[in-house]
Amino acid sequence: MQEKQAQVLIAGGGPVGMGLAIELGQRGIRTIVVERHPVPQQVPKGQNLTQRTMEHFHFWGAEEALRAARTIPREYGIGGLTAYGTLLGDYHYDWLQRELVRPYYFTDNERLPQYATEAVLRERVKALPSVEVLYGFTAEEVRQDTAGVSVIASERAGDRKIALHGEYLAGCDGSRSMVREQAGITETRSDHDRLMVLLVFRSRGLHKLLERFPGKSFFNVLHSDLKGYWQFFGRVDLGETWFFHAPVAPGTTKENFDAKTYLHRAAGATFDVELEHVGFWDLRVAVADTYRKGRVFIAGDAAHSHPPYGGYGINTGFEDARNLGWKLAAALRGWGGDRLLDSYDAERRPVFQSTARDFIEKAIESDRAFLEAFDPARDRAAFEAEWAARGGGARTEVSAFEPNYRGSPIVCGQPGAETNAIGGHSFAARPGHHLAPQPLSSGRNVYECLGGGFTLLSLDGDPADIAAFKAAAGALELPFDTVEDSREGGRERYEARYVLVRPDQFVAWAGETGPKDAPALLRKTAGFR
């Protein structure tokens, strides 16, 4: 049997696996990816890429290529519309207006099918000499001991087997993760007992009908019969291709399902339909009980899965990749301590639990309660008042979704703080929160000066404090840069003289004065005990 050696093995080369490979490859970490599909699968999903996700693509050197691959004009962002009764009914409001939080991020959002995103990631990986991808192979067997991990990769269309050896393994192999199961990682499920249909179809007539809603890319319909679960239409391109998912009766199959009638009823109008794909899935929320077992980590759908409500899935997976990638590289390069790898679970798992509980499932419950309590046929005035209030609440949801690591063991923040997805966007530099962009006196943006290690922003800082940081970083062999500027021109909005920024653009520490013990502060943020 052929054997191959790398520092990190990745099972699954979808968007999360490839994102992780890029994060590692750019840091010179020898990486092998095992991916079963030679080409991306042409099923549209994971289309809404947030401003934060596009920051990842910026740092991965793939932002320009991704934007060039978009299938919908730029004016069609990732905002949507919620309708009542039918898609073309009398009641609707704007939903998930992520443009409201644009000032707090360095990049604009983007929208394109996941298979197009995967194609861009695959091309970027080709340019990284330290990354090898085994296309057409499946990871079938996982073993680990105190010295490393081993994976048997089997060729799907042949009989080749390759024994892979590495120091760490990342399972990015989807919701039915073989890596998760063989590593002995259990998961907790919240089963909603709902069978859902996924349709992909072509229709120029539907595009014509929806010209009354310019600039919208996706549409969800609330109907009293569906108990808070959505009927969801989304554009794949402009003018012709669509995807749709919605609840269906138990026992529904491709053979007994009248897809066209269902689509017409959900839209409230008839239009041409050319079906390209009919599939079914069970609506549930699942989260692994740990994201790490020894030398094995899991990320993306292998670690967490939920219904495709709100565009959280693929974006959460990319954040997993970014968080895990720099920490694995730090451990392998010697500038990350024992606690750094443990912090991946401590940071990312509570964020997903909160996302599922406080946003996805809460939305389902809120919609169900609304549909039970209000009906325009029963009391039009009460319905319309509540409908208007819900429209305002849709804006609040976008602002409130702000994943953070306030309670992380490697963040120097307020004692007793909790890591979750609930926050509030702010320009202030807050430990455990994403750093907002600001211009520098040079005309560049702070984000253009952030590198692959830690960065200290010093705004009218004391040279002695800066020197103390540099000395402490040198003693730890920590990748460390400084950005020095005045505390004006927008930078005063950070509300701190010093801001220590992590490799993933989260704030590790912020203060008005230099720390009393710079070595201890850096040891904590780098995960040393």
Side-chain angles (χ1 to χ4, degrees), residues 283-301:
L283 191 153
R284 64 167 59 96
V285 174
V287 58
D289 296 319
T290 181
Y291 286 8
R292 180 188 187 185
K293 193 72 170 288
R295 292 180 172 270
V296 176
F297 298 82
I298 52 176
D301 287 352

Side-chain angles (χ1 to χ4, degrees), residues 9-308:
L9 309 177
I10 300 175
V16 176
M18 286 303 192
L20 177 58
I22 293 169
E23 183 74 19
L24 292 167
Q26 290 187 156
R27 298 172 182 275
I29 302 299
R30 289 179 289 109
T31 305
I32 295 176
V33 183
V34 181
E35 168 50 36
R36 59 179 180 159
H37 295 299
V39 297
Q41 299 301 286
Q42 300 292 303
V43 177
K45 56 182 179 178
Q47 300 204 68
N48 290 333
L49 304 181
T50 62
Q51 293 99 341
R52 171 57 181 161
T53 288
M54 291 308 298
E55 289 180 351
H56 302 324
F57 278 83
H58 168 79
F59 286 101
W60 289 338
E63 181 186 1
E64 184 177 346
L66 189 78
R67 295 199 189 280
R70 72 181 349 263
T71 57
I72 295 176
R74 186 174 180 81
E75 60 268 24
Y76 283 75
I78 60 173
L81 176 144
T82 295
Y84 175 81
T86 66
L87 178 57
L88 300 172
D90 295 332
Y91 298 103
H92 53 81
Y93 57 75
D94 289 349
W95 175 70
L96 210 62
Q97 303 169 69
R98 285 202 170 107
E99 68 273 11
L100 297 173
V101 298
R102 172 62 181 88
Y104 303 99
Y105 296 91
F106 180 58
T107 51
D108 285 325
N109 58 254
E110 195 52 86
R111 178 178 172 81
L112 68 168
Q114 181 175 305
Y115 54 78
T117 300
E118 288 188 39
V120 170
L121 291 168
R122 290 183 179 209
E123 282 298 311
R124 178 68 185 108
V125 164
K126 285 182 183 179
L128 300 172
S130 64
V131 179
E132 179 182 0
V133 184
L134 300 176
Y135 289 115
F137 282 78
T138 301
E140 291 187 343
E141 183 179 327
V142 172
R143 293 182 180 178
Q144 69 167 314
D145 55 32
T146 56
V149 294
S150 297
V151 172
I152 302 299
S154 298
E155 191 175 24
R156 297 184 74 202
D159 56 6
R160 292 176 62 201
K161 288 184 180 292
I162 304 175
L164 306 176
H165 307 284
E167 296 184 53
Y168 297 102
L169 167 65
C172 305
D173 50 343
S175 60
R176 299 180 180 179
S177 171
M178 178 279 302
V179 172
R180 184 186 67 235
E181 292 182 4
Q182 292 203 13
I185 297 175
T186 57
E187 63 177 356
T188 299
R189 292 186 174 187
S190 174
D191 198 330
H192 287 250
D193 195 27
R194 282 279 173 167
L195 181 66
M196 306 288 288
V197 66
L198 169 63
L199 305 176
V200 181
F201 63 97
R202 294 183 179 274
S203 175
R204 291 188 178 275
L206 181 58
H207 171 70
K208 190 71 176 177
L209 288 168
L210 293 178
E211 286 181 347
R212 68 189 69 182
F213 303 127
K216 299 300 180 186
S217 292
F218 55 92
F219 313 81
N220 62 288
V221 182
L222 299 179
H223 194 286
S224 57
D225 292 345
L226 301 181
K227 310 299 182 184
Y229 298 100
W230 299 344
Q231 297 170 321
F232 189 99
F233 292 83
R235 296 183 186 273
V236 178
D237 55 32
L238 184 62
E240 187 170 13
T241 312
W242 304 82
F243 71 93
F244 173 83
H245 59 75
V248 293
T252 301
T253 65
K254 186 175 180 178
E255 290 69 31
N256 65 23
F257 181 56
D258 187 348
K260 292 182 181 180
T261 298
Y262 197 124
L263 287 168
H264 293 159
R265 186 169 61 245
T270 58
F271 47 88
D272 59 301
V273 175
E274 180 185 345
L275 290 170
E276 292 190 341
H277 174 82
V278 180
F280 299 91
W281 51 277
D282 294 316
L283 191 153
R284 64 167 59 96
V285 174
V287 58
D289 296 319
T290 181
Y291 286 8
R292 180 188 187 185
K293 193 72 170 288
R295 292 180 172 270
V296 176
F297 298 82
I298 52 176
D301 287 352
H304 47 75
S305 59
H306 60 78

Side-chain angles (χ1 to χ4, degrees), residues 485-514:
D485 208 332
S486 62
R487 196 172 179 178
E488 57 187 8
R491 296 172 295 282
E492 70 281 359
R493 301 172 83 178
Y494 284 138
E495 299 181 12
R497 187 176 304 278
Y498 302 106
V499 182
L500 182 63
V501 186
R502 305 187 335 177
D504 58 357
Q505 297 84 56
F506 275 77
V507 177
W509 167 85
E512 274 299 314
T513 59

